[in-house]
PDB file of all heavy atoms in Angstrom:
ATOM      1  N   ALA C1021      38.448  46.146   0.912  1.00  0.00           N
ATOM      2  CA  ALA C1021      39.418  45.181   0.382  1.00  0.00           C
ATOM      3  C   ALA C1021      40.706  45.246   1.200  1.00  0.00           C
ATOM      4  O   ALA C1021      41.304  44.219   1.528  1.00  0.00           O
ATOM      5  CB  ALA C1021      39.705  45.462  -1.092  1.00  0.00           C
ATOM      6  N   ASP C1022      41.118  46.454   1.561  1.00  0.00           N
ATOM      7  CA  ASP C1022      42.333  46.625   2.360  1.00  0.00           C
ATOM      8  C   ASP C1022      42.197  45.994   3.734  1.00  0.00           C
ATOM      9  O   ASP C1022      43.169  45.539   4.321  1.00  0.00           O
ATOM     10  CB  ASP C1022      42.661  48.115   2.533  1.00  0.00           C
ATOM     11  CG  ASP C1022      43.288  48.711   1.281  1.00  0.00           C
ATOM     12  OD1 ASP C1022      43.714  47.928   0.417  1.00  0.00           O
ATOM     13  OD2 ASP C1022      43.345  49.948   1.186  1.00  0.00           O
ATOM     14  N   LEU C1023      40.953  45.963   4.278  1.00  0.00           N
ATOM     15  CA  LEU C1023      40.747  45.386   5.603  1.00  0.00           C
ATOM     16  C   LEU C1023      40.790  43.873   5.572  1.00  0.00           C
ATOM     17  O   LEU C1023      40.626  43.227   6.602  1.00  0.00           O
ATOM     18  CB  LEU C1023      39.399  45.833   6.173  1.00  0.00           C
ATOM     19  CG  LEU C1023      39.310  47.268   6.638  1.00  0.00           C
ATOM     20  CD1 LEU C1023      37.877  47.591   7.057  1.00  0.00           C
ATOM     21  CD2 LEU C1023      40.260  47.521   7.798  1.00  0.00           C
ATOM     22  N   GLY C1024      40.956  43.292   4.388  1.00  0.00           N
ATOM     23  CA  GLY C1024      41.110  41.849   4.331  1.00  0.00           C
ATOM     24  C   GLY C1024      40.006  41.132   3.571  1.00  0.00           C
ATOM     25  O   GLY C1024      40.015  39.913   3.476  1.00  0.00           O
ATOM     26  N   CYS C1025      39.056  41.898   3.003  1.00  0.00           N
ATOM     27  CA  CYS C1025      37.983  41.253   2.264  1.00  0.00           C
ATOM     28  C   CYS C1025      38.531  40.765   0.930  1.00  0.00           C
ATOM     29  O   CYS C1025      38.940  41.561   0.108  1.00  0.00           O
ATOM     30  CB  CYS C1025      36.876  42.269   2.015  1.00  0.00           C
ATOM     31  SG  CYS C1025      35.293  41.512   1.903  1.00  0.00           S
ATOM     32  N   GLU C1026      38.539  39.440   0.729  1.00  0.00           N
ATOM     33  CA  GLU C1026      39.285  38.889  -0.404  1.00  0.00           C
ATOM     34  C   GLU C1026      38.499  38.787  -1.701  1.00  0.00           C
ATOM     35  O   GLU C1026      39.083  38.565  -2.758  1.00  0.00           O
ATOM     36  CB  GLU C1026      39.809  37.508  -0.043  1.00  0.00           C
ATOM     37  CG  GLU C1026      40.937  37.597   0.969  1.00  0.00           C
ATOM     38  CD  GLU C1026      41.420  36.229   1.402  1.00  0.00           C
ATOM     39  OE1 GLU C1026      40.832  35.222   0.969  1.00  0.00           O
ATOM     40  OE2 GLU C1026      42.375  36.188   2.189  1.00  0.00           O
ATOM     41  N   GLY C1027      37.196  38.852  -1.605  1.00  0.00           N
ATOM     42  CA  GLY C1027      36.438  38.664  -2.832  1.00  0.00           C
ATOM     43  C   GLY C1027      35.095  39.353  -2.769  1.00  0.00           C
ATOM     44  O   GLY C1027      34.659  39.807  -1.709  1.00  0.00           O
ATOM     45  N   PRO C1028      34.405  39.433  -3.917  1.00  0.00           N
ATOM     46  CA  PRO C1028      33.147  40.165  -3.966  1.00  0.00           C
ATOM     47  C   PRO C1028      32.054  39.528  -3.110  1.00  0.00           C
ATOM     48  O   PRO C1028      31.147  40.229  -2.650  1.00  0.00           O
ATOM     49  CB  PRO C1028      32.772  40.142  -5.447  1.00  0.00           C
ATOM     50  CG  PRO C1028      33.617  39.096  -6.075  1.00  0.00           C
ATOM     51  CD  PRO C1028      34.820  38.928  -5.244  1.00  0.00           C
ATOM     52  N   ASN C1029      32.103  38.214  -2.878  1.00  0.00           N
ATOM     53  CA  ASN C1029      31.038  37.595  -2.097  1.00  0.00           C
ATOM     54  C   ASN C1029      31.166  37.926  -0.627  1.00  0.00           C
ATOM     55  O   ASN C1029      30.171  38.153   0.057  1.00  0.00           O
ATOM     56  CB  ASN C1029      31.034  36.082  -2.326  1.00  0.00           C
ATOM     57  CG  ASN C1029      30.659  35.774  -3.747  1.00  0.00           C
ATOM     58  OD1 ASN C1029      29.570  36.115  -4.198  1.00  0.00           O
ATOM     59  ND2 ASN C1029      31.585  35.207  -4.489  1.00  0.00           N
ATOM     60  N   GLN C1030      32.416  37.977  -0.132  1.00  0.00           N
ATOM     61  CA  GLN C1030      32.594  38.393   1.256  1.00  0.00           C
ATOM     62  C   GLN C1030      32.224  39.866   1.382  1.00  0.00           C
ATOM     63  O   GLN C1030      31.616  40.300   2.350  1.00  0.00           O
ATOM     64  CB  GLN C1030      34.031  38.174   1.719  1.00  0.00           C
ATOM     65  CG  GLN C1030      34.472  36.715   1.779  1.00  0.00           C
ATOM     66  CD  GLN C1030      35.122  36.261   0.491  1.00  0.00           C
ATOM     67  OE1 GLN C1030      34.622  36.528  -0.588  1.00  0.00           O
ATOM     68  NE2 GLN C1030      36.236  35.579   0.622  1.00  0.00           N
ATOM     69  N   MET C1031      32.573  40.641   0.352  1.00  0.00           N
ATOM     70  CA  MET C1031      32.328  42.082   0.423  1.00  0.00           C
ATOM     71  C   MET C1031      30.830  42.404   0.446  1.00  0.00           C
ATOM     72  O   MET C1031      30.399  43.366   1.080  1.00  0.00           O
ATOM     73  CB  MET C1031      33.002  42.771  -0.760  1.00  0.00           C
ATOM     74  CG  MET C1031      32.988  44.268  -0.612  1.00  0.00           C
ATOM     75  SD  MET C1031      34.171  45.095  -1.661  1.00  0.00           S
ATOM     76  CE  MET C1031      35.726  44.678  -0.909  1.00  0.00           C
ATOM     77  N   LYS C1032      30.045  41.580  -0.214  1.00  0.00           N
ATOM     78  CA  LYS C1032      28.576  41.768  -0.232  1.00  0.00           C
ATOM     79  C   LYS C1032      28.054  41.928   1.180  1.00  0.00           C
ATOM     80  O   LYS C1032      27.201  42.754   1.461  1.00  0.00           O
ATOM     81  CB  LYS C1032      27.909  40.504  -0.810  1.00  0.00           C
ATOM     82  CG  LYS C1032      27.585  40.527  -2.270  1.00  0.00           C
ATOM     83  CD  LYS C1032      26.603  39.412  -2.563  1.00  0.00           C
ATOM     84  CE  LYS C1032      27.134  38.472  -3.603  1.00  0.00           C
ATOM     85  NZ  LYS C1032      26.241  37.354  -3.915  1.00  0.00           N
ATOM     86  N   ALA C1033      28.524  41.061   2.084  1.00  0.00           N
ATOM     87  CA  ALA C1033      27.981  41.026   3.439  1.00  0.00           C
ATOM     88  C   ALA C1033      28.325  42.293   4.198  1.00  0.00           C
ATOM     89  O   ALA C1033      27.594  42.700   5.090  1.00  0.00           O
ATOM     90  CB  ALA C1033      28.511  39.814   4.184  1.00  0.00           C
ATOM     91  N   PHE C1034      29.433  42.941   3.846  1.00  0.00           N
ATOM     92  CA  PHE C1034      29.821  44.131   4.597  1.00  0.00           C
ATOM     93  C   PHE C1034      29.291  45.414   3.990  1.00  0.00           C
ATOM     94  O   PHE C1034      28.955  46.345   4.694  1.00  0.00           O
ATOM     95  CB  PHE C1034      31.348  44.186   4.723  1.00  0.00           C
ATOM     96  CG  PHE C1034      31.875  43.076   5.582  1.00  0.00           C
ATOM     97  CD1 PHE C1034      32.434  41.946   5.015  1.00  0.00           C
ATOM     98  CD2 PHE C1034      31.753  43.138   6.953  1.00  0.00           C
ATOM     99  CE1 PHE C1034      32.879  40.903   5.802  1.00  0.00           C
ATOM    100  CE2 PHE C1034      32.203  42.103   7.754  1.00  0.00           C
ATOM    101  CZ  PHE C1034      32.763  40.984   7.179  1.00  0.00           C
ATOM    102  N   LEU C1035      29.237  45.481   2.651  1.00  0.00           N
ATOM    103  CA  LEU C1035      28.859  46.731   2.006  1.00  0.00           C
ATOM    104  C   LEU C1035      27.528  46.666   1.276  1.00  0.00           C
ATOM    105  O   LEU C1035      27.026  47.676   0.827  1.00  0.00           O
ATOM    106  CB  LEU C1035      29.943  47.135   0.985  1.00  0.00           C
ATOM    107  CG  LEU C1035      31.319  47.489   1.553  1.00  0.00           C
ATOM    108  CD1 LEU C1035      32.260  47.839   0.408  1.00  0.00           C
ATOM    109  CD2 LEU C1035      31.210  48.656   2.527  1.00  0.00           C
ATOM    110  N   ARG C1036      26.987  45.501   1.105  1.00  0.00           N
ATOM    111  CA  ARG C1036      25.759  45.329   0.327  1.00  0.00           C
ATOM    112  C   ARG C1036      25.959  45.567  -1.173  1.00  0.00           C
ATOM    113  O   ARG C1036      24.981  45.556  -1.919  1.00  0.00           O
ATOM    114  CB  ARG C1036      24.612  46.225   0.824  1.00  0.00           C
ATOM    115  CG  ARG C1036      23.941  45.716   2.081  1.00  0.00           C
ATOM    116  CD  ARG C1036      22.590  46.366   2.310  1.00  0.00           C
ATOM    117  NE  ARG C1036      21.658  46.135   1.221  1.00  0.00           N
ATOM    118  CZ  ARG C1036      20.897  45.069   1.083  1.00  0.00           C
ATOM    119  NH1 ARG C1036      20.955  44.099   1.970  1.00  0.00           N
ATOM    120  NH2 ARG C1036      20.073  44.959   0.053  1.00  0.00           N
ATOM    121  N   CYS C1037      27.180  45.760  -1.617  1.00  0.00           N
ATOM    122  CA  CYS C1037      27.355  45.947  -3.059  1.00  0.00           C
ATOM    123  C   CYS C1037      26.982  44.641  -3.749  1.00  0.00           C
ATOM    124  O   CYS C1037      27.327  43.561  -3.288  1.00  0.00           O
ATOM    125  CB  CYS C1037      28.776  46.357  -3.397  1.00  0.00           C
ATOM    126  SG  CYS C1037      30.047  45.298  -2.718  1.00  0.00           S
ATOM    127  N   GLY C1038      26.253  44.744  -4.830  1.00  0.00           N
ATOM    128  CA  GLY C1038      25.817  43.561  -5.551  1.00  0.00           C
ATOM    129  C   GLY C1038      24.515  42.961  -5.028  1.00  0.00           C
ATOM    130  O   GLY C1038      24.003  42.006  -5.600  1.00  0.00           O
ATOM    131  N   MET C1039      23.956  43.523  -3.959  1.00  0.00           N
ATOM    132  CA  MET C1039      22.748  42.934  -3.382  1.00  0.00           C
ATOM    133  C   MET C1039      21.477  43.674  -3.774  1.00  0.00           C
ATOM    134  O   MET C1039      20.390  43.364  -3.301  1.00  0.00           O
ATOM    135  CB  MET C1039      22.875  42.876  -1.852  1.00  0.00           C
ATOM    136  CG  MET C1039      23.943  41.882  -1.435  1.00  0.00           C
ATOM    137  SD  MET C1039      24.216  41.876   0.328  1.00  0.00           S
ATOM    138  CE  MET C1039      22.923  40.751   0.816  1.00  0.00           C
ATOM    139  N   GLY C1040      21.608  44.648  -4.636  1.00  0.00           N
ATOM    140  CA  GLY C1040      20.430  45.388  -5.077  1.00  0.00           C
ATOM    141  C   GLY C1040      19.749  44.694  -6.241  1.00  0.00           C
ATOM    142  O   GLY C1040      20.154  43.613  -6.658  1.00  0.00           O
ATOM    143  N   PRO C1041      18.694  45.318  -6.776  1.00  0.00           N
ATOM    144  CA  PRO C1041      17.920  44.672  -7.831  1.00  0.00           C
ATOM    145  C   PRO C1041      18.696  44.357  -9.102  1.00  0.00           C
ATOM    146  O   PRO C1041      18.357  43.399  -9.779  1.00  0.00           O
ATOM    147  CB  PRO C1041      16.780  45.667  -8.115  1.00  0.00           C
ATOM    148  CG  PRO C1041      17.141  46.924  -7.422  1.00  0.00           C
ATOM    149  CD  PRO C1041      18.096  46.607  -6.350  1.00  0.00           C
ATOM    150  N   CYS C1042      19.722  45.102  -9.453  1.00  0.00           N
ATOM    151  CA  CYS C1042      20.414  44.815 -10.720  1.00  0.00           C
ATOM    152  C   CYS C1042      21.324  43.604 -10.588  1.00  0.00           C
ATOM    153  O   CYS C1042      21.854  43.100 -11.571  1.00  0.00           O
ATOM    154  CB  CYS C1042      21.181  46.021 -11.256  1.00  0.00           C
ATOM    155  SG  CYS C1042      22.949  46.092 -10.883  1.00  0.00           S
ATOM    156  N   GLN C1043      21.475  43.098  -9.363  1.00  0.00           N
ATOM    157  CA  GLN C1043      22.210  41.848  -9.150  1.00  0.00           C
ATOM    158  C   GLN C1043      23.626  41.907  -9.690  1.00  0.00           C
ATOM    159  O   GLN C1043      24.107  40.943 -10.272  1.00  0.00           O
ATOM    160  CB  GLN C1043      21.491  40.695  -9.842  1.00  0.00           C
ATOM    161  CG  GLN C1043      20.334  40.135  -9.075  1.00  0.00           C
ATOM    162  CD  GLN C1043      20.299  38.622  -9.204  1.00  0.00           C
ATOM    163  OE1 GLN C1043      20.989  38.030 -10.029  1.00  0.00           O
ATOM    164  NE2 GLN C1043      19.516  37.987  -8.356  1.00  0.00           N
ATOM    165  N   GLY C1044      24.255  43.061  -9.516  1.00  0.00           N
ATOM    166  CA  GLY C1044      25.655  43.150  -9.885  1.00  0.00           C
ATOM    167  C   GLY C1044      25.915  43.424 -11.347  1.00  0.00           C
ATOM    168  O   GLY C1044      27.067  43.499 -11.756  1.00  0.00           O
ATOM    169  N   ARG C1045      24.869  43.584 -12.152  1.00  0.00           N
ATOM    170  CA  ARG C1045      25.110  43.813 -13.572  1.00  0.00           C
ATOM    171  C   ARG C1045      25.911  45.088 -13.799  1.00  0.00           C
ATOM    172  O   ARG C1045      26.781  45.129 -14.672  1.00  0.00           O
ATOM    173  CB  ARG C1045      23.790  43.905 -14.343  1.00  0.00           C
ATOM    174  CG  ARG C1045      23.076  42.561 -14.510  1.00  0.00           C
ATOM    175  CD  ARG C1045      21.679  42.780 -15.081  1.00  0.00           C
ATOM    176  NE  ARG C1045      20.960  41.538 -15.306  1.00  0.00           N
ATOM    177  CZ  ARG C1045      20.239  40.906 -14.391  1.00  0.00           C
ATOM    178  NH1 ARG C1045      20.161  41.395 -13.177  1.00  0.00           N
ATOM    179  NH2 ARG C1045      19.615  39.783 -14.690  1.00  0.00           N
ATOM    180  N   LEU C1046      25.640  46.106 -12.996  1.00  0.00           N
ATOM    181  CA  LEU C1046      26.341  47.371 -13.218  1.00  0.00           C
ATOM    182  C   LEU C1046      27.503  47.598 -12.271  1.00  0.00           C
ATOM    183  O   LEU C1046      28.145  48.640 -12.329  1.00  0.00           O
ATOM    184  CB  LEU C1046      25.357  48.552 -13.151  1.00  0.00           C
ATOM    185  CG  LEU C1046      24.848  48.939 -14.540  1.00  0.00           C
ATOM    186  CD1 LEU C1046      23.876  47.918 -15.078  1.00  0.00           C
ATOM    187  CD2 LEU C1046      24.210  50.299 -14.537  1.00  0.00           C
TER     188      LEU C1046
END
Side-chain angles (χ1 to χ4, degrees):
Chain C
D1022 283 345
L1023 287 175
C1025 209
E1026 289 177 356
N1029 294 299
Q1030 295 92 314
M1031 190 162 289
K1032 264 196 237 179
F1034 293 101
L1035 294 179
R1036 283 197 60 84
C1037 52
M1039 292 175 85
C1042 97
Q1043 279 219 348
R1045 287 171 178 86
L1046 265 73

